[in-house]
Amino acid sequence: MHSLDQDRAGSRTGTTSAVRINPSILAADFVNMQAELARIEGADFVHVDVMDNHFVPNLTFGPQMVSRIQDTSPVPLDVHLMIDQPERWAPDYAQLGAASVTFHLEAATDPVALARRLRAIGSRAGIAVKPATPIEGLFDVLDEFDQILVMTVEPGFGGQSFMPETMPKLRLLSDEARRRGSSVWLQVDGGIGESTIAQAAEAGADTFVAGSAVFGAADPGAAISSLRASAGRHRHTH
């Protein structure tokens, strides 16, 4: 399942410099999840936030729900674990067939070992950092990860406002990744929409989590295309 998901993602995204739009189901209608997923078939991935009410003060999905989303989603899953003890739980999500599993640097005991385990199972391995967490500690291990998620809001709740003060950190990470020739994807999550995606793209992001900007649109497919085009234009000027 994983290899098919990766093939689908690869054919959809082209090169590692492509722009990816990953709608967040936190903004979807949970009661009509299958229909909501069908509305975003033009996306690159669907972003699934798993919260445990410990690492963040909110509770969302567990493995059973994620497994059902995996069964019905027309696009691969980009699972974001906002949970304590990711070493214990993250491999379960990789085993479900999620194309990508991201855990938090702040919660992990041995991030590199966990990333290697996720890759061994067959998922892309991602690591996330909160807005206040320094990024420099990841510079020497960039290639241990397939994706680095720079949170542009405090994790735990949907619908928050984009934090432009996170952009210098993203730019620093982007410059370092380019300097090292790394192919790691740089993702942003939080407050991403038409008015903010340009800032994130200019700072080096290539993978964008959007919630209400997609699911709140009358035509989610058109919203995805518009966001992708806007990000692509501003990445080219970076």
Side-chain angles (χ1 to χ4, degrees):
M1 185 179 295
H2 160 72
S3 60
L4 284 174
D5 281 347
Q6 279 207 317
D7 290 346
R8 291 167 65 193
S11 64
R12 201 180 296 271
T13 59
T15 69
T16 55
S17 61
V19 168
R20 288 165 287 273
I21 305 297
N22 302 6
S24 170
I25 59 169
L26 271 188
D29 176 359
F30 293 172
V31 176
N32 298 298
M33 186 63 75
Q34 189 165 359
E36 290 285 77
L37 289 166
R39 297 172 74 211
I40 60 162
E41 62 182 2
D44 297 283
F45 294 81
V46 57
H47 190 80
V48 181
D49 287 307
V50 175
M51 306 182 194
D52 64 358
N53 208 27
H54 294 283
F55 182 72
V56 291
N58 207 340
L59 187 67
T60 56
F61 316 102
Q64 187 174 9
M65 183 65 177
V66 174
S67 179
R68 289 295 296 132
I69 295 168
Q70 172 75 28
D71 290 343
T72 57
S73 176
V75 294
L77 266 59
D78 172 33
V79 175
H80 176 195
L81 302 177
M82 301 185 216
I83 64 173
D84 285 334
Q85 298 182 294
E87 284 84 1
R88 180 177 178 185
W89 303 110
D92 293 348
Y93 291 91
Q95 295 282 7
L96 289 176
S100 179
V101 178
T102 296
F103 59 91
H104 267 265
L105 175 62
E106 301 88 357
T109 303
D110 188 338
V112 169
L114 180 53
R116 289 176 178 175
R117 187 172 176 201
L118 294 172
R119 282 176 162 180
I121 294 169
S123 284
R124 292 177 61 84
I127 191 161
V129 292
K130 293 181 180 181
T133 300
I135 202 74
E136 289 82 352
L138 292 175
F139 285 175
D140 288 337
V141 291
L142 287 182
D143 288 337
E144 297 286 353
F145 304 100
D146 299 293
Q147 176 170 278
I148 298 176
L149 167 53
V150 174
M151 292 296 298
T152 46
V153 296
E154 288 296 337
F157 297 93
Q160 296 183 71
S161 296
F162 177 82
M163 296 171 65
E165 59 268 32
T166 59
M167 291 299 95
K169 179 168 69 174
L170 175 59
R171 193 177 300 279
L172 188 67
L173 174 61
S174 174
D175 290 346
E176 185 69 13
R178 193 163 57 247
R179 186 180 75 79
R180 292 176 182 250
S182 173
S183 59
V184 66
W185 294 357
L186 303 184
Q187 185 178 59
V188 286
D189 179 5
I192 298 297
E194 286 288 353
S195 63
T196 55
I197 199 168
Q199 295 178 61
E202 286 173 353
D206 53 34
T207 307
F208 305 86
V209 178
S212 54
V214 172
F215 281 109
D219 184 344
I224 290 167
S225 296
S226 179
L227 288 168
R228 189 182 283 126
S230 179
R233 285 194 302 273
H234 288 89
R235 270 186 62 74
H236 292 152
T237 64
H238 175 53

